Amino acid sequence: MLSIRLPWSCTEQVHIELGFPTSNNNDTPSGGQSLRNPLTPIPPLQVPPVTSQRPVAQSSSEGGAAAEKGSEVPQNWKPPHAELNNAAAGAVAVARQSETGVGTPTPGPDGRVLYVFGQGMPVMVCAPLRVCAVELQPGELLQSQPQIGDSRRWEITPDMSGSGLDQTPLLVVKPIEPGLETDLIIPTDRRTYVGRLVSDPTRFVSRLAFQYAADDRAKWETFQAQQDAGEARRRCGHGAAESAGAAANLP
């Protein structure tokens, strides 16, 4: 009988027995001595266990580090800082005052939130799954597509309401997630709007519109000019009547 140990798995071994047929005849020579000798035991075959190893992919010099570390920005990474001269720093300070000078919102008709145009930067608060609308002046026309700082996570859709001279342009604003903040520029044929967009989980402003102090002043100036012209005509007519009466009383 032959016993051989073969590797069955990574850590286990089994014995396979090989049996040789033996003859029932008496293979004994004429001396009475048996010619069959016991088999010499064969030592078991020693095979080291097989271990499965994954081939290690060799990373290229260009993308190896990015593949191992991923595409996330390291926590301690800081963008490069540009050196500003005195003029550039002063310009940034002036712009910062305009950006941080938020105007006071007031309630308007039909649920509008009103900002005075040109007095601070208006803030539009929106929420995901909600629709917010920026309402411009009636009769105003968009010159080009509005520009937004974060066009990937904010959706801006133009729309119109009304007809004729009262047709009013609208911008429908929708964020895709809360916690966002960016800016918006709207160029029209009358002025350029600059505002901030903020997304909140639940709070939002449905309609945002503007009051135009310059137009109000122009209306008052026109009204005052009309009153002055009427008063001048009245005085002129009164003076002419007095002159005619005086002429009639002459001898």
Side-chain angles (χ1 to χ4, degrees):
M1 181 178 297
L2 176 62
S3 175
I4 301 177
R5 296 182 181 178
L6 296 178
W8 186 258
S9 65
C10 296
T11 58
E12 297 180 355
Q13 293 180 348
V14 298
H15 296 278
I16 300 178
E17 295 183 357
L18 301 178
F20 294 90
T22 57
S23 176
N24 294 328
N25 299 330
N26 188 9
D27 300 334
T28 303
S30 59
Q33 297 179 357
S34 175
L35 298 177
R36 184 176 61 187
N37 295 326
L39 295 176
T40 304
I42 300 176
L45 183 62
Q46 301 293 334
V47 180
V50 180
T51 58
S52 61
Q53 296 181 354
R54 277 187 178 179
V56 179
Q58 298 295 332
S59 60
S60 61
S61 59
E62 296 179 356
E68 294 178 0
K69 297 182 180 180
S71 59
E72 296 182 357
V73 179
Q75 296 181 356
N76 297 329
W77 181 84
K78 295 182 179 179
H81 180 70
E83 295 294 335
L84 302 180
N85 56 17
N86 294 334
V92 171
V94 173
R96 180 68 63 181
Q97 292 178 0
S98 175
E99 293 176 359
T100 55
V102 179
T104 302
T106 58
D110 300 331
R112 293 179 179 90
V113 175
L114 298 180
Y115 282 93
V116 178
F117 178 82
Q119 296 183 7
M121 182 173 291
V123 180
M124 183 69 170
V125 181
C126 303
L129 304 179
R130 298 290 186 176
V131 176
C132 303
V134 179
E135 184 175 320
L136 306 183
Q137 192 176 27
E140 199 167 12
L141 299 176
L142 291 172
Q143 292 292 90
S144 62
Q145 180 180 358
Q147 301 297 321
I148 185 171
D150 187 358
S151 60
R152 186 178 64 86
R153 297 180 293 180
W154 290 84
E155 297 180 5
I156 307 294
T157 306
D159 204 348
M160 299 292 291
S161 69
S163 61
L165 297 177
D166 294 332
Q167 196 172 30
T168 303
L170 304 175
L171 292 179
V172 180
V173 182
K174 293 188 294 184
I176 65 172
E177 61 184 56
L180 305 178
E181 184 176 356
T182 187
D183 49 1
L184 177 67
I185 298 178
I186 307 171
T188 71
D189 60 340
R190 299 178 182 177
R191 56 186 64 87
T192 300
Y193 298 83
V194 180
R196 290 175 54 201
L197 300 179
V198 178
S199 65
D200 189 82
T202 56
R203 295 172 294 180
F204 64 97
V205 176
S206 297
R207 302 176 67 179
L208 186 146
F210 295 90
Q211 290 178 323
Y212 304 95
D215 293 350
D216 294 339
R217 286 194 298 269
K219 291 178 181 179
W220 278 108
E221 290 175 359
T222 302
F223 176 75
Q224 188 66 38
Q226 292 175 353
Q227 280 195 332
D228 293 343
E231 182 67 18
R233 288 194 298 268
R234 187 184 65 80
R235 290 180 179 178
C236 181
H238 182 70
E242 289 181 352
S243 299
N249 293 328
L250 292 176

